[in-house]
Amino acid sequence: MNQRIIAASLLALSLPLAAQAAGEAKNVIFFLGDGMGPATVTAARIYKYGEAGALNMEQLARTARIKTFSNDAQTTDSAPSMSAYMTGVKMNNEVISMSSDTKAIAPTLPAGTGNCGSNNGSAVTTMLELAKARGKAVGSITTTRITHATPAATYAHVCHRDAESDIAAQAVPGGAGFNAALKDGVDVLMGGGSKFFTPTTAGGVRVDGRNLIDEMKAKGYSYASTGTELKAVDAKSVSKLFALFHKDHMDYELDRVKKNLDQPSLAEMTVKAIEVLSKNGNGYFLMVEGGRIDHALHGTNAKRVMEDTIAFDEAIKAALAKVDLGNTLVVFTADHDHTLAINGYSKRGNPILDISRNYKDGKEAKDADGNTFTTLVFGNGPNRKDTRTSIVSGNTDSSMALHDDYLQETAVRLASETHGGGDVMLGASGAGARSFKGSMDNTKVFTLLKSAFGF
């Protein structure tokens, strides 16, 4: 176990409740594994460390169980769930950091220009805005488009998550549509999605002709578009960092590594963000999203789910090695669950992505029709691609199941796998972590983050 975690855990457990004063955290790092439900965490642990092992995130001192339902749905999407963490307000599906009465109205243009209409809710203050108002540095980084629902919930306010051109404009200090609550802007902003920052004439999708990348540079931001460029950024001399590593979402971790793509890992992004933000003597708030976990789950591609979850876990490890838990709170959780399930009675040590083999005799497990099946399955989704497996049911062997592109079987056939409505995990270590315990609503997490900061 990381020695910093051990020390912080022992300290937290030894202090009386009265000593756990509000405002003990100078810095807060909030890790969000998009769609990373309990089954995903368990499968990733087995995938990387075996049944008896432990992910870095599982070694944090405090744990809690989080309810994720939204204002209008049993099963939330990322927009209201992340917004609940960042604002403490329940809102409707597809709404980002707005009041509970806001109705989701989809953008009228494919470029993501929204129109909420009149008398349709109001903006609610985010944790990032609260931190900025108190002189702290703030950052938001992700492996998805930086305008995607989760990162957008930290710095933008829109009535529909698809209004990504509007979301991008809210990040540009002083520009048309800028979110003035950000004052001089988000200090570190990294991810994918350059198409929403550039005009159609430059290969983007903006219909207003603005090049927001150039506008950000003009406001003093150092800019990086590749992993190589990010490594070259001298954090000591940079106060504002903006980076977009892909026109759309960044690549899955499996592909980034196998194809040797010039994109940074989430861990590298996290370390660079901490280095830039920590120069602020008042402290900082940083949100880190492992966003493509969710995308691989929607596609029922468990191998990419595992690789992106491990990459997310490595980012947590990198942060823990970088910060002082005596004055920094580190929290991880997920915005919602998925329908991934670990099924059958596989023997211990059987590869989690493989076909199930019985624990009694090690032989291939068979379903009621005499066919093999994989340990990981989904409650719904597109099943298997015909290009890889010519049959929807039938025998699957290890060479198929362990292939990078294998799609797990699903019970209900849908075009895309959906989110799940189950509770998710939360872990916390460091300053103010003691309050994170038990079963709680996602809006309560916001209250605890504020208390840790002393807001």
Side-chain angles (χ1 to χ4, degrees):
M1 184 183 290
N2 186 296
Q3 294 302 310
R4 289 179 182 270
I5 304 176
I6 295 174
S9 301
L10 293 175
L11 176 62
L13 292 172
S14 66
L15 290 175
L17 282 173
Q20 300 283 324
E24 61 183 295
K26 177 182 179 181
N27 317 303
V28 171
I29 306 177
F30 185 84
F31 285 91
L32 194 288
D34 201 313
M36 192 183 68
T40 296
V41 174
T42 301
R45 177 209 310 143
I46 296 171
Y47 178 76
K48 179 69 174 181
Y49 298 111
E51 292 84 351
L55 296 166
N56 295 285
M57 68 180 85
E58 293 179 300
Q59 300 177 59
L60 298 188
R62 291 289 177 176
T63 59
R65 181 183 178 98
I66 308 299
K67 303 171 186 177
T68 65
F69 64 94
S70 69
N71 191 52
D72 63 347
Q74 288 180 349
T75 300
T76 187
D77 81 285
S78 296
S81 186
M82 184 58 174
S83 295
Y85 287 136
M86 292 296 102
T87 70
V89 177
K90 282 285 185 184
M91 54 199 74
N92 295 326
N93 273 8
E94 300 173 330
V95 173
I96 289 178
S97 297
M98 299 284 286
S99 55
S100 296
D101 59 338
T102 305
K103 297 179 180 178
I105 300 178
T108 55
L109 295 174
T113 302
N115 180 10
C116 286
S118 59
N119 301 316
N120 188 21
S122 57
V124 288
T125 305
T126 71
M127 178 59 62
L128 186 148
E129 292 165 353
L130 286 172
K132 194 71 178 177
R134 286 161 175 77
K136 293 182 181 292
V138 297
S140 189
I141 65 177
T142 180
T143 52
T144 68
R145 297 189 296 266
I146 195 64
T147 52
H148 213 234
T150 297
T154 67
Y155 67 88
H157 307 272
V158 291
C159 66
H160 198 287
R161 58 179 291 169
D162 290 346
E164 292 188 62
S165 283
D166 290 349
I167 292 168
Q170 291 192 42
V172 184
F178 173 57
N179 176 12
L182 299 175
K183 297 189 177 299
D184 63 343
V186 181
D187 299 287
V188 175
L189 199 60
M190 290 192 281
S194 64
K195 67 181 181 181
F196 287 107
F197 289 82
T198 51
T200 55
T201 54
V205 299
R206 297 197 66 85
V207 296
D208 58 8
R210 295 173 65 185
N211 188 318
L212 302 188
I213 295 176
D214 288 344
E215 291 185 30
M216 292 286 274
K217 291 179 181 178
K219 291 296 181 178
Y221 283 85
S222 295
Y223 180 69
S225 61
T226 65
T228 300
E229 290 178 356
L230 183 65
K231 288 180 181 178
V233 171
D234 182 6
K236 295 180 180 179
S237 61
V238 170
S239 59
K240 298 281 189 181
L241 177 58
F242 179 48
L244 297 174
F245 304 108
H246 200 287
K247 183 177 181 179
D248 206 293
H249 302 299
M250 294 175 66
D251 285 86
Y252 288 112
E253 179 68 6
L254 185 147
D255 303 299
R256 185 189 74 85
V257 173
K258 280 198 168 184
K259 297 177 182 179
N260 196 29
L261 301 175
D262 195 4
Q263 296 175 20
S265 67
L266 187 58
E268 290 170 332
M269 294 164 66
T270 299
V271 169
K272 187 68 71 172
I274 292 172
E275 290 175 346
V276 173
L277 298 174
S278 61
K279 294 188 300 179
N280 187 313
N282 295 320
Y284 61 85
F285 173 81
L286 172 64
M287 190 288 295
V288 181
E289 184 199 20
R292 303 229 61 193
I293 299 169
D294 174 76
H295 295 167
L297 285 161
H298 279 305
T300 66
N301 180 206
K303 190 166 189 177
R304 285 181 171 81
V305 173
M306 297 298 99
E307 290 291 338
D308 266 73
T309 303
I310 295 303
F312 175 73
D313 191 56
E314 287 297 312
I316 294 174
K317 178 182 179 181
L320 291 169
K322 192 77 175 174
V323 303
D324 177 2
L325 291 176
N327 65 10
T328 302
L329 171 64
V330 175
V331 176
F332 91 84
T333 189
D335 47 355
H336 52 74
D337 196 5
H338 270 267
T339 69
L340 179 71
I342 302 172
N343 86 123
Y345 293 99
S346 296
K347 67 175 184 176
R348 185 165 172 173
N350 196 60
I352 195 67
L353 295 176
D354 208 347
I355 58 174
S356 179
R357 294 181 177 84
N358 292 317
Y359 72 94
K360 290 184 177 180
D361 55 18
K363 293 181 179 180
E364 295 176 352
K366 300 291 181 68
D367 64 17
D369 298 316
N371 300 313
T372 58
F373 57 88
T374 55
T375 301
L376 297 181
V377 294
F378 285 86
N380 62 53
N383 230 300
R384 305 184 197 132
K385 291 181 180 178
D386 290 342
T387 54
R388 174 140 307 282
T389 307
S390 60
I391 51 176
V392 171
S393 61
N395 283 305
T396 300
D397 61 24
S398 292
S399 65
M400 295 165 58
L402 299 177
H403 193 281
D404 290 351
D405 300 322
Y406 181 76
L407 304 184
Q408 269 61 30
E409 285 190 64
T410 61
V412 178
R413 188 172 178 84
L414 296 176
S416 176
E417 186 263 356
T418 71
H419 295 170
D423 296 347
V424 297
M425 301 169 61
L426 179 146
S429 270
R434 187 168 184 141
S435 298
F436 291 88
K437 58 183 179 180
S439 179
M440 68 181 76
D441 190 80
N442 52 8
T443 55
K444 176 68 173 178
V445 175
F446 171 77
T447 303
L448 296 181
L449 293 175
K450 278 205 311 177
S451 178
F453 261 146
F455 293 170

